[in-house]
Amino acid sequence: MEIYLIRHTTPAVEKGICYGQTDLDVTESFAAEADSIRPWLPTRMGAVYSSPLQRCRKLAETLFPDHTPTLHNDLMELDCGNWEMQRWNEIPKTEMQPWLEDFVNVVVPEGESYALMHERVINRFNEICQQVSPAVIVAHGGVLRSILAHITGTPIKESFDLFTCHYGCVVKLTQEERGFRHEFLYNISLAGKEWHRPTA
């Protein structure tokens, strides 16, 4: 069993903005970024799964024109609730501080926690593992880290330090007797440093 994890390309959003399930478009560099991903893809493909958000769906359709991606809401990024499209530095500290102290378990106002996201992602991942191989999952940074944390037994909180997943990265998962082995095939930052929390 082989599964390829692909993160979406650079989203069209200003740095310093909180976004999760907002349906952002991609930037003008999309075609060039997609071309950089192609050499790392398998020559034969069984099935393609994607988050329904357009930054993932467009990439799945572009990279695999002969396949119709199966879209799953479970593969969407963290639901940032009331914080969606706000500047990180302008979110009230009284709301932000509990989340900063325990973002794994604290639910974003009107959104979800990383633990809740992790649960839905892994439920879907386990179902995909029972399907045709090789498979591709085109999704988001949080989704890829959840899967990598799951297969390596890494606590979710530590996954952000252990797994750096740049836009457009490709990770190959190979099933072995004791689980999955992972290999980063492509993981180059073309957009510079990302910003997904307050600066202070």
Side-chain angles (χ1 to χ4, degrees), residues 2-9 30-49 56-67 133-139 144 167-173 183-187:
E2 292 181 350
I3 298 177
Y4 289 75
L5 309 178
I6 304 175
R7 189 183 180 193
H8 61 78
T9 60
F30 173 74
E33 291 182 73
D35 285 343
S36 297
I37 295 169
R38 282 193 180 91
W40 307 102
L41 303 178
T43 56
R44 181 180 62 86
M45 182 50 53
V48 179
Y49 304 91
C56 295
R57 177 178 48 78
K58 284 185 176 181
L59 183 59
E61 292 171 347
T62 298
L63 294 177
F64 306 101
D66 296 332
H67 289 75
S133 173
V136 166
I137 298 174
V138 182
L144 267 62
Y167 296 129
C169 76
V170 181
V171 188
K172 180 182 179 181
L173 309 184
E183 177 185 5
F184 279 83
L185 301 180
Y186 177 74
N187 195 24

Side-chain angles (χ1 to χ4, degrees), residues 3-110:
I3 298 177
Y4 289 75
L5 309 178
I6 304 175
R7 189 183 180 193
H8 61 78
T9 60
T10 307
V13 64
E14 183 181 348
K15 289 186 178 182
I17 300 293
C18 174
Y19 65 92
Q21 295 190 3
T22 299
D23 197 10
L24 300 169
D25 203 347
V26 291
T27 63
E28 294 180 354
S29 63
F30 173 74
E33 291 182 73
D35 285 343
S36 297
I37 295 169
R38 282 193 180 91
W40 307 102
L41 303 178
T43 56
R44 181 180 62 86
M45 182 50 53
V48 179
Y49 304 91
S50 175
S51 159
L53 299 180
Q54 62 178 318
R55 57 190 185 271
C56 295
R57 177 178 48 78
K58 284 185 176 181
L59 183 59
E61 292 171 347
T62 298
L63 294 177
F64 306 101
D66 296 332
H67 289 75
T68 299
T70 300
L71 307 179
H72 289 298
N73 290 343
D74 291 338
L75 298 176
M76 290 199 293
E77 184 59 278
L78 180 77
D79 182 353
C80 291
N82 292 343
W83 299 351
E84 291 275 351
M85 298 309 292
Q86 289 194 54
R87 293 186 177 278
W88 280 107
N89 287 340
E90 295 177 359
I91 298 172
K93 291 183 179 180
T94 54
E95 292 185 12
M96 178 66 68
Q97 194 57 40
W99 184 80
L100 289 175
E101 293 174 357
D102 185 11
F103 66 85
V104 173
N105 298 300
V106 173
V107 175
V108 175
E110 301 300 322

